[in-house]
Amino acid sequence: MKKMYFREWAIESPKYWGILAFLGLFIGAAALSVLYMEHEGHYVTGMNNQVVWGTPHVFAVFLIVAASGALNVASIGSVFGVKLYKPLAPLSGLLAIMLLVGGLLVLVLDLGRPDRLLVAMTTYNFKSIFAWNIYLYTGFMVIVAAYLFTMMERKANQYTQQMGLLAFVWRLALTTGTGSIFGFLVARQAYDAAIMAPMFIIMSFSYGLAFFLLMLIYTFKAEGRPLGDMILHRLKNLLGVFIAAVLFFTIVYHLTNLYVTENHALESFILVSGGGYTLAFWVFEVFLGGLLPLAILFHPALGINRNWIVGAALLVLLGGLAKIFVIIIGGQAFPMALFPGQTVIESSFGDGINGQAAQYMASLPEVLLGFGGVALAIAGTLVAVRLLKFLPRALDDESLDTQVAKH
Amino acid sequence: MSKSEVHTSEDQVNASRRSFIGKTAALTTAAIAPGLFLHTSAGARDPSQAVTDKVRWGMLIDTNKCADGCTECVSACNKENGLPDHGRPASDPQWIRKVKLRDNLTGRETNLPMLCQHCEHPPCVDVCPTGASFKRADGIVMVDRHVCIGCRYCMMACPYKARSFIHETITEKPTHAPRGKGCVESCTLCVHRLDRGETTTACAEACPHQAILFGDLNDPNSELAQRLKSEPSRQIRADLQLNTGVRYTSI
């Protein structure tokens, strides 16, 4: 491979500022939404005492999961020694940090008392997976930042592989922690499944890579930097494998639930009678977010068309949001099994009267907060690539040695 | 004055002195005894003393006595703890609620109040990232309102849906039950009463059918312990092995 040079993102200033202003609109709307929700109280959202985690959590978990997955490309380069991916590693690490920042902001700003963040950072109950996650998240940012330093500072290059390995192990732990938030909740039937942790890891692979592909294609195209098909096709094939793996885990999760009789009502709710949740599952999660992008990416003609690859990556992200929506909100909407063998026929607190699901309708401020987190992650990445040398000058096939490509 | 007259006079003095001392002692006893009696019988403690695990507060709810349509316990709890009613039941706090069940096979209907079950191994305490959810030595599961960040993970973890998030600004609150928007809260077993030395909760006191029996689970002589020993009772979601402090009969 030829020597790889990195350069700042040099699109024209008006375009750059225009993009930031556009993203700023979303960030501003999110800030106003937070002020509104925190001032009025959460009753202005769709959340209630049954569905306690709403749309902000869907976005937050989605971004946090995608963050650790965005680091994959760097890991493939540093940990598994695939030289072809090494030029992509700085962008991969940067995007990982920014997605995590975006996700955490959404999560923190939806707390009942975001002003007590200092309490959360200083008072711990180490039995809580949430408390571990605070360390896993902050640790991830520090480790990936150090990893980026070893990549970008020539004198520290010798430590890149070790830092890459540490970051890789840490990201696995992080997603295990995120999945375990749900995996060990005995109270609600949709959770309490150990498969959650590995499923979240594979979800992170898929969503993180989709985000990375989109950012790579966009930044290169906007500036007119050469981006060859060779690297792109490798990445899109990898995305295809990850999509298939997510579908596989989804099937296993539902099949294991169907095996156990007590979960039949839950499965019937998600798969058949859950209205919006059933729609989100089959149409958005399975078809639009799984089967369709899989078909596109492995289609002999569409799979090598850049626009279709972008479309497939966008569909993966849409499907990811739908999947987390079904897990988080669908899982809470399904009534809790307080009295097995009995039907609740009256209650002032919901409690699934006659088996009815809890009501949840996403409110506009919640959605705006979620999109604000996404916008912030993108804006942060664009600002960083503008200021520092994260992007390789060229990734055309000629620049990447074919011998390495066969590696 | 003869000797006998002198004796009579001294006897009269002694008699009236004895009577005075006797009456004073009786009055003093009458004044102090109820306090002492309550302290010793129910295990209530001196407010200046730390809470110990010698006591474990709990309840027995007799669903046969719990009347259909009666919500006296709910009203009493709301009044005692200053819980507001904004007419939005999905987001208004409910520390205790009435639930009516029908058995899927037999069709038998049961009424019962549902509240925090004050588990020995509370899942809400396990998951709370800051330790705001905690269990007192006397078995009461509570939220420290100064440390709660409003993440609502405890509400995800509670198998009884016993907790409420404060969705709206609180304008008035009783001094004994501090509450604040953005925090999670739930039944405290009227801890302010217990800490004052009282021995019952607002809901148990208000129940016109005596369906709620409150007491010390650790005291074998308490009525609660006696009834739990002699009558069959069950825990809700006993499969989770949380060893709840609130037990039910006839579900």
Side-chain angles (χ1 to χ4, degrees):
Chain A
M1 189 157 60
K2 285 187 206 163
K3 176 120 184 78
M4 190 58 67
Y5 292 98
F6 290 83
R7 207 178 60 190
E8 292 91 346
W9 196 45
I11 61 166
E12 309 84 61
S13 274
K15 195 175 171 188
Y16 173 70
W17 289 107
I19 296 163
L20 285 192
F22 176 70
L23 293 170
L25 287 178
F26 284 91
I27 298 168
L32 290 175
S33 300
V34 169
L35 285 177
Y36 173 65
M37 289 190 286
E38 294 296 339
H39 181 75
E40 293 292 325
H42 271 62
Y43 86 96
V44 296
T45 70
M47 290 175 257
N48 50 55
N49 281 325
Q50 166 78 33
V51 180
V52 300
W53 286 353
T55 304
H57 286 79
V58 174
F59 275 90
V61 171
F62 173 69
L63 287 169
I64 291 167
V65 165
S68 67
L71 194 66
N72 274 339
V73 176
S75 303
I76 296 169
S78 303
V79 179
F80 300 104
V82 182
K83 286 184 182 163
L84 183 68
Y85 284 75
K86 284 191 175 169
L88 303 174
L91 177 64
S92 164
L94 171 68
L95 188 61
I97 292 182
M98 290 304 169
L99 287 170
L100 187 63
V101 169
L104 285 182
L105 262 179
V106 176
L107 193 70
V108 163
L109 292 174
D110 184 57
L111 290 176
R113 296 296 303 261
D115 54 313
R116 287 186 180 165
L117 195 59
L118 203 62
V119 174
M121 305 294 279
T122 50
T123 316
Y124 291 105
N125 164 30
F126 284 106
K127 207 175 171 189
S128 166
I129 295 166
F130 244 28
W132 300 358
N133 278 347
I134 294 170
Y135 277 94
L136 288 171
Y137 297 153
T138 47
F140 182 80
M141 285 195 256
V142 171
I143 289 168
V144 177
Y147 179 33
L148 281 174
F149 177 78
T150 66
M151 284 189 247
M152 298 172 81
E153 167 57 52
R154 194 182 300 271
K155 286 177 195 159
N157 279 171
Q158 53 180 320
Y159 303 112
T160 301
Q161 197 177 356
Q162 288 90 329
M163 281 311 295
L165 185 64
L166 178 61
F168 179 67
V169 172
W170 198 272
R171 61 127 306 180
L172 290 179
L174 184 147
T175 332
T176 305
T178 312
S180 301
I181 289 174
F182 301 97
F184 298 99
L185 285 178
V186 290
R188 299 181 189 243
Q189 264 179 292
Y191 312 135
D192 190 25
I195 195 174
M196 284 289 181
M199 187 162 77
F200 269 60
I201 291 178
I202 202 67
M203 281 155 63
S204 82
F205 283 8
S206 180
Y207 311 156
L209 186 55
F211 250 117
F212 179 83
L213 255 174
L214 290 171
M215 285 304 285
L216 181 73
I217 293 173
Y218 174 70
T219 48
F220 272 61
K221 193 179 175 201
E223 199 193 351
R225 285 192 202 206
L227 176 64
D229 279 340
M230 183 175 66
I231 185 114
L232 204 60
H233 291 174
R234 279 195 163 216
L235 286 171
K236 70 99 184 166
N237 284 341
L238 191 60
L239 181 62
V241 172
F242 290 158
I243 296 169
V246 171
L247 282 171
F248 171 74
F249 269 83
T250 307
I251 293 169
V252 172
Y253 167 77
H254 289 287
L255 281 181
T256 46
N257 268 352
L258 282 168
Y259 187 74
V260 183
T261 309
E262 67 167 326
N263 290 330
H264 285 181
L266 166 72
E267 284 303 315
S268 146
F269 174 69
I270 298 290
L271 302 180
V272 184
S273 60
Y277 304 108
T278 304
L279 182 82
F281 177 77
W282 288 111
V283 177
F284 288 92
E285 179 184 337
V286 175
F287 180 70
L288 291 176
L291 298 175
L292 187 60
L294 200 59
I296 292 171
L297 292 175
F298 289 126
H299 188 277
L302 304 180
I304 53 171
N305 180 313
R306 204 158 286 196
N307 290 334
W308 281 96
I309 295 174
V310 169
L314 285 170
L315 282 174
V316 168
L317 295 185
L318 178 72
L321 275 172
K323 183 171 180 62
I324 296 176
F325 170 80
V326 172
I327 291 175
I328 294 187
I329 304 195
Q332 292 175 84
F334 182 72
M336 291 165 66
L338 276 173
F339 304 97
Q342 314 230 22
T343 303
V344 176
I345 50 177
E346 277 175 31
S347 167
S348 58
F349 212 43
D351 289 322
I353 296 169
N354 294 315
Q356 268 189 336
Q359 293 295 312
Y360 172 82
M361 180 60 75
S363 64
L364 183 65
E366 287 175 80
V367 178
L368 290 177
L369 173 58
F371 277 112
V374 179
L376 188 88
I378 297 170
T381 309
L382 295 183
V383 169
V385 296
R386 176 92 172 171
L387 296 176
L388 294 169
K389 294 174 181 173
F390 279 100
L391 298 175
R393 203 167 58 181
L395 283 174
D396 54 319
D397 297 355
E398 293 76 45
S399 304
L400 299 161
D401 185 45
T402 43
Q403 280 305 107
V404 173
K406 283 177 190 165
H407 180 74
Chain B
M1 193 186 286
S2 68
K3 271 187 180 176
S4 63
E5 279 174 327
V6 171
H7 277 289
T8 312
S9 167
E10 278 180 357
D11 285 347
Q12 280 170 348
V13 170
N14 284 341
S16 65
R17 188 180 289 162
R18 274 190 209 112
S19 155
F20 172 75
I21 291 169
K23 279 175 186 164
T24 310
L27 270 172
T28 311
T29 310
I32 296 172
L36 285 175
F37 177 73
L38 285 174
H39 273 261
T40 48
S41 69
R45 69 189 167 82
D46 179 342
S48 63
Q49 300 296 309
V51 178
T52 70
D53 58 3
K54 283 180 189 152
V55 178
R56 184 179 175 201
W57 297 111
M59 273 183 183
L60 176 65
I61 292 167
D62 189 338
T63 60
N64 275 335
K65 291 181 182 169
C66 182
D68 192 3
C70 171
T71 53
E72 290 294 324
C73 55
V74 179
S75 308
C77 175
N78 291 349
K79 191 175 168 213
E80 178 83 13
N81 296 294
L83 305 185
D85 179 6
H86 301 107
R88 289 182 273 271
S91 60
D92 280 342
Q94 297 193 36
W95 291 11
I96 182 169
R97 62 189 189 268
K98 276 294 294 288
V99 176
K100 188 174 176 179
L101 308 170
R102 182 187 296 129
D103 190 287
N104 292 343
L105 180 68
T106 63
R108 180 175 183 268
E109 290 183 356
T110 312
N111 285 281
L112 55 89
M114 196 60 204
L115 66 160
C116 173
Q117 304 287 297
H118 297 280
C119 313
E120 186 191 357
H121 308 292
C124 57
V125 173
D126 287 347
V127 301
C128 177
T130 62
S133 274
F134 69 103
K135 187 177 65 124
R136 292 203 338 173
D138 56 2
I140 304 177
V141 176
M142 295 175 70
V143 181
D144 182 339
R145 308 288 157 72
H146 301 288
V147 186
C148 174
I149 56 171
C151 74
R152 320 192 285 283
Y153 198 15
C154 57
M155 299 176 73
M156 292 289 278
C158 173
Y160 306 104
K161 224 180 103 188
R163 292 202 154 181
S164 296
F165 180 68
I166 305 309
H167 287 77
E168 305 189 37
T169 304
I170 290 167
T171 48
E172 282 178 44
K173 53 190 165 187
T175 47
H176 60 256
R179 312 169 56 242
K181 181 176 73 180
C183 290
V184 174
E185 55 184 34
S186 57
C187 159
T188 61
L189 284 181
C190 286
V191 67
H192 54 279
R193 287 176 167 226
L194 303 175
D195 284 349
R196 285 199 301 249
E198 295 176 41
T199 53
T200 188
T201 62
C203 55
E205 194 175 72
C207 179
H209 312 287
Q210 284 81 47
I212 304 175
L213 177 63
F214 179 81
D216 178 6
L217 294 162
N218 283 353
D219 175 6
N221 297 318
S222 71
E223 189 187 351
L224 177 66
Q226 296 279 343
R227 277 191 57 192
L228 281 169
K229 196 175 176 186
S230 59
E231 295 174 29
S233 66
R234 57 164 285 199
Q235 310 173 48
I236 296 176
R237 292 298 309 267
D239 57 317
L240 299 175
Q241 305 197 24
L242 304 175
N243 191 11
T244 57
V246 177
R247 304 291 173 111
Y248 292 81
T249 64
S250 316
I251 298 184

